[in-house]
Amino acid sequence: MTAIEQTEAARPRGTRLPRRARRNQLLGAAQEVFVAQGYHAAAMDDIAERAGVSKPVLYQHFPGKLDLYLALLDQHCEALLLAVRTALASTTDNKLRVAATMDAYFAYVEEEGGAFRLVFESDLTNEPAVRERVDRVSLQCAEAISDVIAEDTGLSQDESMLLAVGLGGVSQVVARYWLSSESPVARGTAVGLLTSLAWRGIAGFPLHGAESAETAETAETAETTES
């Protein structure tokens, strides 16, 4: 059964929509087809049929299949980056921050529609424009995590970046495994396990300024005792 045949209900043709609404409709239909069939097997005919429009209408908005795919990729890369940045800014408690960031990846892969497959499991990564976008969002997420690590630990930017790439990579790989394996482990439990694993490592790096603060406190205590 093709993705088109699996459509729950036929979309009405001929309905006039504002340009932005029509574009969003086309992107939604394209996502369904690309996720179900992959880029290479998907056809513009399938996408137009899924959206309930004629091919000329589809081409008015997107000159070709690659343009449509890249527009979707941009949308979902931006969503991932926003989710990671929001998680990092959600708390100043570093353990909770690690948990929130990892949960952002789990929530992203669990989102209905399977858009994460366009980012992490694309069959078009040999296309430079696709590869560039996928690499860029991975780098931007790592940079956001790295900035927090560098600020809190005093590690160099290069050292912080290595840790950040590791944390982001582990999060998305484990989240995808958790989803694809249909693990009976609840999402909250899975995030908790992964957070415990990561926190045991990252917590080993002292907070920036903690040593000097401890030294100052010790000196202050000594002065009080002497007086």
Side-chain angles (χ1 to χ4, degrees), residues 162-176:
L162 285 174
L163 293 175
V165 169
L167 287 172
V170 165
S171 298
Q172 65 100 346
V173 168
V174 174
R176 286 165 50 208

Side-chain angles (χ1 to χ4, degrees), residues 76-85 104-105 108 119-120 137 141:
H76 294 298
C77 284
E78 183 179 344
L80 173 61
L81 181 58
L82 177 61
V84 170
R85 286 176 172 169
Y105 282 93
Y108 184 71
V119 180
F120 295 132
V137 72
C141 288

Side-chain angles (χ1 to χ4, degrees), residues 89-170:
S90 65
T91 177
T92 55
D93 182 303
N94 284 325
K95 186 173 184 179
L96 294 179
R97 186 181 270 157
V98 170
T101 303
M102 292 189 164
D103 188 59
Y105 282 93
F106 276 75
Y108 184 71
V109 304
E110 195 180 27
E111 187 176 343
E112 187 177 358
F116 79 94
R117 300 187 189 281
L118 305 178
V119 180
F120 295 132
E121 299 175 3
S122 174
D123 62 345
L124 196 61
T125 51
N126 61 332
E127 166 60 45
V130 172
R131 184 75 262 161
E132 187 273 332
R133 283 165 169 79
V134 172
D135 289 345
R136 183 175 62 204
V137 72
S138 296
L139 179 63
Q140 288 174 324
C141 288
E143 285 174 341
I145 298 169
S146 174
D147 287 344
V148 174
I149 293 174
E151 180 181 350
D152 282 357
T153 66
L155 292 173
S156 71
Q157 197 61 50
D158 288 337
E159 292 170 325
S160 299
M161 193 64 178
L162 285 174
L163 293 175
V165 169
L167 287 172
V170 165

Side-chain angles (χ1 to χ4, degrees), residues 7-41:
T7 304
E8 293 181 0
R11 290 167 172 79
R13 292 181 177 275
T15 304
R16 295 186 65 83
L17 293 174
R19 184 171 181 82
R20 182 179 293 275
R22 178 67 76 191
R23 178 182 170 86
N24 288 338
Q25 178 201 26
L26 297 174
L27 286 170
Q31 179 179 322
E32 293 175 10
V33 174
F34 284 136
V35 169
Q37 301 183 10
Y39 178 83
H40 295 293

